[in-house]
Amino acid sequence: MELADVLRGRRMVRSFSEEPLERPVLERILGAALRAPSAGNAQGWDAVVLEGPAQTAPFWEATTTADWR
């Protein structure tokens, strides 16, 4: 399956695998995201790459409610 096919079939996901992405895969995903359109190319964005429970746990704690988790 090609990355473009995956992006076309994307959907909201709230259940994530703990399996790490290989570095080249991560770089392809971020590269594709850089080319995503925005209104007049005026909307900036930031990407955060978190690796492992030591980084993801504080993120979910800060950005979600206990009920959502």
Side-chain angles (χ1 to χ4, degrees):
M1 179 177 288
E2 292 293 319
L3 178 62
D5 295 330
V6 172
L7 294 175
R8 278 192 291 276
R10 70 189 184 275
R11 65 191 193 298
M12 176 67 80
V13 175
R14 291 192 172 129
S15 177
F16 301 96
S17 169
E18 292 184 16
E19 183 179 336
L21 292 175
E22 294 178 10
R23 186 69 178 199
V25 173
L26 176 61
E27 289 174 0
R28 286 177 58 197
I29 292 169
L30 293 173
L34 285 171
R35 291 168 183 79
S38 67
N41 291 322
Q43 298 174 1
W45 62 276
D46 295 309
V48 178
V49 177
L50 303 173
E51 297 178 352
Q55 292 181 1
T56 57
F59 173 81
W60 291 121
E61 183 71 28
T63 60
T64 62
T65 65
D67 291 338
W68 186 88
R69 288 189 297 278

